[in-house]
Amino acid sequence: MSDAVQHPDLPPTYHADPAILALAGWLGDMVAPADFPETRIRFRNDRAAAGVGLAELPDTQWAAHFGRFAPLPDNLPHPLALRYHGHQFRVYNPEIGDGRGFLYAQMRDAGGRLMDLGTKGSGQTPWSRSGDGRLTLKGAVREILATEMLEALGVNTSKTFSVIETGESLWRGDEPSPTRSAVLVRLSHSHIRIGTFQRLLALEAADEMEQLIDYCLAHFPGPPPPEDAPGRDEPAIRLMHAVVERMADLAASYMVAGFVHGVLNTDNMNITGESFDYGPWRWLPAWDPGFTAAYFDHAGLYAFGRQPEALHWNCGQLAVALRLHAETAPLVAALERFGPLYMAAVARRWCWRLGVQSQGVEADTQLVAACEQAMREGALQPDAFFFAHRGGRGDAAGALGEVLASYAPVASDHPYWSDPAPQSMLIEEVEAIWAAIAEGDDWGPLRAKVESLRRMGEAHGAPPVPAGHA
């Protein structure tokens, strides 16, 4: 943790710690941000900013740091566009990296965790290829909505930290153009991807791989592997176990939230298990395992019901990369834990969202199956289903009624549960919120939605964690 003199305009809760500089020579490229025509603050997440000592910044400094990217005190002297490879829809691509974003700063949060500020739409980098390095304002608004909804539903997600409109007109083939532009800053625990390891494997960069493993274990350690895990004391094996646990829980959280990420490529997989890099996401209008979010996902590779398979496959690619420093057998042993961990996480999270006390994985799995059957047969929207049957209430018939009757409710007197209807995030509402901004520059519906989602998050409370985890 940095012991440098604090910036006079920042509170003592701001603790800069640009730990990534130890890897910067081979991990990324120092770049300059775009010089935007204007910087109009459209969203500042003071709740998230408070956790890293930045909530007290006045708007002028907020715009300077998160629109012009003036360096934060004692932090990265220049933005760092990260290098990585990745499987994109299972096709390996070595020609990617941060093409419209960069790592801007690192600091410690109130709990001592290392946190990153990364960008989207901050200008061209060596990895932009033919792209303009920009982000549409609509894309930024969609990311606000996605991250706020996911956080409220207990998903481990990056936080949309800031959105600043930049005054440029952009042309895009998938939305009416010209359209407004923005630069977004996200707060997350890391920006190290599975694709970061894949690049080092492709380069046979064993020394750099060792440094990266050590960096991840130092800053994102996770619980130790099981006592009987082969090779459990080897750094690469410890990391593999930690990532498998996190990805299994992330996959479960998507399914319980009824969320479809849309682009689960290995370069979009954060080794901390945080969901990030949101593009064509959708929430389910009805419980449908075949529902896809991306119009270009013609084969349904990342359909709702295939998301656990996708994250398991991505973990397999990490295992392949870690062969630079570990034998195959202990890596496979770690990978084989994904299925049981995923099932336990679904059961744990399902009971949490439904507001009932767990009876153990076996019984809870039967509850999940009964709920899924009821949603499929009734073409029910998941948010409405969970809300209607919260704590065992509602008129559940048939198999669901029999199973649910045996579950004790979790007490909750939050007024949200007495609302006439639950919060949801269906595409029609998303488009309506954007239309208010696009047609009348009316940000009221967006602000109201964020407030409503945070209230829902308060009602749910913190999501459950596996036994033995902090």
Side-chain angles (χ1 to χ4, degrees):
M1 190 175 296
S2 174
D3 59 358
V5 175
Q6 294 296 327
H7 189 276
D9 296 320
L10 292 174
T13 50
Y14 167 75
H15 294 287
D17 189 4
I20 204 75
L21 290 177
L23 313 179
W26 52 264
L27 186 65
D29 298 273
M30 292 294 184
V31 295
D35 184 12
F36 297 116
E38 62 183 48
T39 51
R40 300 182 63 189
I41 299 172
R42 293 303 195 177
F43 178 79
R44 53 177 290 170
N45 191 339
D46 286 322
R47 182 174 71 171
V52 291
L54 295 173
E56 297 178 25
L57 283 175
D59 281 353
T60 53
Q61 291 187 28
W62 188 279
H65 288 303
F66 309 125
R68 301 295 179 193
F69 298 100
L72 282 166
D74 307 318
N75 227 299
L76 295 180
H78 302 284
L80 187 68
L82 301 180
R83 305 170 184 171
Y84 42 85
H85 291 179
H87 278 90
Q88 299 183 315
F89 287 84
R90 306 260 168 109
V91 177
Y92 193 74
N93 187 352
E95 302 296 330
I96 54 178
D98 279 343
R100 57 173 176 170
F102 47 63
L103 181 62
Y104 166 62
Q106 292 183 297
M107 64 280 296
R108 297 284 171 174
D109 69 8
R113 295 195 313 160
L114 183 66
M115 303 299 292
D116 289 358
L117 288 177
T119 67
K120 192 173 183 179
S122 50
Q124 292 180 313
T125 77
W127 308 103
S128 299
R129 293 178 287 175
S130 59
D132 61 12
R134 269 52 172 183
L135 172 68
T136 66
L137 182 61
K138 183 178 183 180
V141 168
R142 283 175 51 85
E143 186 143 336
I144 293 170
L145 293 171
T147 53
E148 291 286 341
M149 180 73 170
L150 287 169
E151 185 176 4
L153 292 176
V155 176
N156 185 13
T157 177
S158 63
K159 311 295 189 291
T160 303
F161 190 83
S162 171
V163 170
I164 292 179
E165 189 168 0
T166 57
E168 295 180 321
S169 295
L170 304 178
W171 291 86
R172 294 290 186 267
D174 55 355
E175 62 181 276
S177 297
T179 189
R180 294 153 71 177
S181 61
V183 62
L184 178 145
V185 177
R186 67 164 69 98
L187 177 71
S188 61
H189 192 23
S190 170
H191 282 80
I192 303 298
R193 300 156 164 85
I194 289 177
T196 312
F197 289 86
Q198 290 181 285
R199 174 179 176 271
L200 297 180
L201 173 66
L203 298 176
E204 299 182 353
D207 290 344
E208 289 82 355
M209 179 81 82
E210 183 178 13
Q211 294 174 45
L212 185 60
I213 292 170
D214 290 344
Y215 175 89
C216 292
L217 290 175
H219 298 297
F220 332 115
E227 290 291 338
D228 60 350
R232 69 186 303 272
D233 294 326
E234 298 175 29
I237 302 304
R238 286 163 50 204
L239 179 63
M240 185 68 199
H241 278 276
V243 173
V244 166
E245 289 198 28
R246 293 162 184 161
M247 292 299 179
D249 187 64
L250 179 62
S253 71
Y254 281 174
M255 302 305 287
V256 176
F259 176 71
V260 190
H261 182 285
V263 190
L264 295 174
N265 299 329
T266 56
D267 54 295
N268 290 341
M269 292 286 103
N270 193 329
I271 57 91
T272 57
E274 290 168 289
S275 183
F276 80 126
D277 217 3
Y278 299 106
W281 58 265
R282 296 279 290 274
W283 258 268
L284 293 179
W287 191 266
D288 177 7
F291 184 87
T292 58
Y295 65 87
F296 44 83
D297 187 4
H298 303 296
L301 180 64
Y302 298 142
F304 173 64
R306 296 186 67 182
Q307 291 181 123
E309 170 199 341
L311 269 67
H312 178 259
W313 191 91
N314 290 339
C315 286
Q317 304 317 302
L318 176 63
V320 170
L322 289 175
R323 281 285 288 109
L324 268 181
H325 281 284
E327 295 298 320
T328 298
L331 290 168
V332 171
L335 186 62
E336 288 176 341
R337 295 180 63 212
F338 185 97
L341 287 167
Y342 167 75
M343 295 302 295
V346 168
R348 180 173 63 244
R349 285 179 169 274
W350 199 279
C351 289
W352 169 77
R353 189 175 184 194
L354 198 57
V356 296
Q357 296 179 15
S358 171
Q359 296 183 9
V361 175
E362 185 175 352
D364 295 346
T365 299
Q366 295 179 14
L367 171 64
V368 172
C371 291
E372 288 183 309
Q373 180 180 352
M375 283 191 281
R376 282 195 305 268
E377 292 178 352
L380 302 175
Q381 203 277 324
D383 300 309
F385 174 85
F386 279 103
F387 188 81
H389 296 288
R390 173 79 184 184
R393 68 185 184 183
D395 186 17
L400 176 60
E402 293 178 13
V403 175
L404 197 54
S406 68
Y407 276 78
V410 174
S412 176
D413 58 358
H414 196 285
Y416 172 78
W417 304 117
S418 297
D419 287 359
Q423 291 296 312
S424 62
M425 190 63 68
L426 299 182
I427 190 63
E428 294 81 7
E429 184 177 10
V430 174
E431 292 295 332
I433 290 171
W434 169 245
I437 295 169
E439 298 168 11
D441 209 31
D442 180 3
W443 292 79
L446 175 65
R447 289 192 293 268
K449 187 65 177 179
V450 169
E451 291 177 4
S452 295
L453 293 175
R454 292 183 176 184
R455 178 172 172 268
M456 178 177 71
E458 293 171 359
H460 278 111
V465 296
H469 289 233

